[in-house]
Amino acid sequence: MSPEPDPEPPAEESSPPAPGPGPERRGELIRPAPVVFGDDDDADADADGTELGAVFRTYLRDYIGDSIGRAGPSNAICPFVRGALRAGVMHYAELRVAGHTAPRAVARALVGYLAWFDRASQRESAEHPGLVVAFPGPPAPLLPVVAAAHRAVLPAVYARGCTAALFHEDPTRPDDPRHPEPRYFTAPAPFYVLRRIIPADLQLSLRVLQMFPAYHRLHAAEARRTRLRTKEAAERWNQACREHGLTP
């Protein structure tokens, strides 16, 4: 199935309100409010709300946040997941999308989650908060719709000082070269991750054209002080600044 043309990014003033305390129906979508995942299977066991939610909590803790058997400086796929789970700042929601759902409808729902996450993450602890939005159902009919929505809302994501990625378990589909993060690995369902841009995102921001202005706005001083120590890093930083008309 070919994806529909990318919708225009939803305007901020027309964004739907943040999710309320219960399910909210918007057109074909039911957008439930996020729940908080804990680090303990026995803690708030009913908070997951769904069978898939329970699977995702274990998946995030024991696969994405686990370091056993992995090489590298952090050893975990995401080094912040376990801390976010322990601090109670890892949030989870499900968005049910059908193959005939318009990407614009999904984009509006994602912008609603973005507004909610932006407010919630600014209230929370120093741990790095995150929001996982899972898409139940077979990936094949969902991915073109969700991927188009993801591309449409990226400018709004960066404008709020956040970054986002869509992950799935379908290696036959090429990754988006404009956002070159790992896109697929074993996963219970396709899922979308929102998190705040942090100083450690320097290399990612240098690879992702749309992300660099947001990183520069938030962390330029820290990057100049601690992260541009090599000639190569400084040259890439200066080139990116020139491309965007920013102060090196």
Side-chain angles (χ1 to χ4, degrees):
M1 172 180 176
S2 299
E4 300 182 30
D6 289 357
E8 291 296 320
E12 184 69 23
E13 60 270 20
S14 63
S15 301
E24 181 177 347
R25 186 178 295 275
R26 291 195 165 271
E28 298 169 333
L29 300 177
I30 296 178
R31 193 183 73 210
V35 298
V36 176
F37 276 174
D39 194 34
D40 185 352
D41 280 335
D42 295 328
D44 200 12
D46 294 331
D48 305 329
T50 67
E51 181 178 350
L52 182 60
V55 171
F56 255 100
R57 180 166 62 173
T58 301
Y59 167 79
L60 291 170
R61 185 194 63 196
D62 297 342
Y63 182 70
I64 300 297
D66 185 38
S67 61
I68 296 176
R70 295 199 179 97
S74 68
N75 292 330
I77 290 175
C78 178
F80 309 120
V81 164
R82 292 304 291 263
L85 288 169
R86 285 192 295 267
V89 293
M90 176 61 69
H91 308 281
Y92 173 83
E94 291 176 14
L95 189 61
R96 296 188 177 274
V97 177
H100 61 274
T101 304
R104 182 175 291 275
V106 181
R108 283 196 298 267
L110 292 181
V111 169
Y113 279 125
L114 170 64
W116 180 92
F117 176 71
D118 186 29
R119 289 192 290 270
S121 63
Q122 292 189 43
R123 294 193 303 266
E124 291 172 337
S125 74
E127 288 292 343
H128 301 295
L131 170 63
V132 170
V133 180
F135 300 93
L142 306 182
L143 282 174
V145 176
V146 175
H150 165 54
R151 291 192 297 270
V153 302
L154 270 177
V157 170
Y158 295 141
R160 286 184 180 264
C162 297
T163 186
L166 175 65
F167 296 91
H168 55 84
E169 194 181 7
D170 187 356
T172 64
R173 291 184 179 274
D175 295 340
D176 184 349
R178 293 168 294 183
H179 205 271
E181 289 185 290
R183 274 305 191 270
Y184 56 84
F185 35 73
T186 302
F191 64 102
Y192 181 77
V193 178
L194 275 168
R195 64 174 179 83
R196 302 209 72 82
I197 296 172
I198 60 174
D201 286 324
L202 171 61
Q203 295 304 319
L204 177 62
S205 75
L206 290 171
R207 295 197 307 269
V208 181
L209 187 65
Q210 287 181 297
M211 183 177 172
F212 185 79
Y215 182 90
H216 184 279
R217 170 171 54 87
L218 295 168
H219 302 301
E222 197 277 348
R224 295 188 195 105
R225 187 173 63 252
T226 64
R227 298 181 180 276
L228 302 179
R229 295 174 177 171
T230 68
K231 180 179 179 181
E232 180 185 1
E235 287 177 349
R236 293 183 64 194
W237 173 269
N238 292 337
Q239 180 182 350
C241 288
R242 288 193 297 270
E243 290 174 353
H244 291 280
L246 300 171
T247 302

